[in-house]
Amino acid sequence: MSTADIYLIVTGVLSIGAAARLTRLAVDDTITAPIRDAITTRGDTRGGTWAWASKLVTCTWCASIWVTAGLGALHWLAGDTRLYLYAVAALTASWLVSIAAQWLDAPPPVRQHEVAPLQVTHQHVITDRRR
């Protein structure tokens, strides 16, 4: 494998991470919530292109296609420059930090307790403990 091949692989992986981060920014982050709310309000009242845009900013799968197309066009315009590589590396790092933060801030898993639904007492009466 040549250095050029490794560079293409690294650029591709970083572009995927950048697309994931930009999609999350457009669809889920609170910093873009006012813009999303304005677009969905107009989409609900006016329809047409606004309804399409409303669906776009609320659907992760829908937005990711357009974000990836924009990143592809940007890469085509910018070429293999260090600026593009640094930008997608920063976006990918931001995406990885957000995943780590979600994982670290998540509550611990609930421990499962075994509950016997039926219990036989000393009088040989079966009681239902599920209720």
Side-chain angles (χ1 to χ4, degrees), residues 16-86:
I16 290 169
R21 179 62 186 118
L22 290 173
T23 300
R24 182 184 171 112
L25 179 68
V27 176
D28 291 330
D29 280 353
T30 56
I31 195 167
T32 55
I35 299 168
R36 265 194 319 275
D37 292 342
I39 291 172
T40 54
T41 302
R42 287 187 183 177
D44 293 342
T45 57
R46 295 184 186 175
T49 306
W50 286 106
W52 175 81
S54 172
K55 183 68 175 172
L56 185 68
V57 297
T58 56
C59 171
T60 305
W61 290 103
C62 307
S64 67
I65 293 171
W66 292 99
V67 166
T68 305
L71 271 175
L74 181 65
H75 184 257
W76 181 74
L77 289 172
D80 290 330
T81 61
R82 288 182 190 242
L83 178 64
Y84 178 79
L85 188 63
Y86 292 154

Side-chain angles (χ1 to χ4, degrees), residues 115-131:
V115 176
L118 298 175
Q119 180 180 14
V120 179
T121 62
H122 66 279
Q123 292 98 3
H124 301 293
V125 177
I126 298 176
T127 57
D128 188 359
R129 295 183 58 196
R130 293 179 288 182
R131 299 179 204 183

Side-chain angles (χ1 to χ4, degrees), residues 24 93-107:
R24 182 184 171 112
S94 173
W95 177 62
L96 290 173
V97 166
S98 70
I99 289 175
Q102 278 184 344
W103 180 66
L104 291 172
D105 291 343

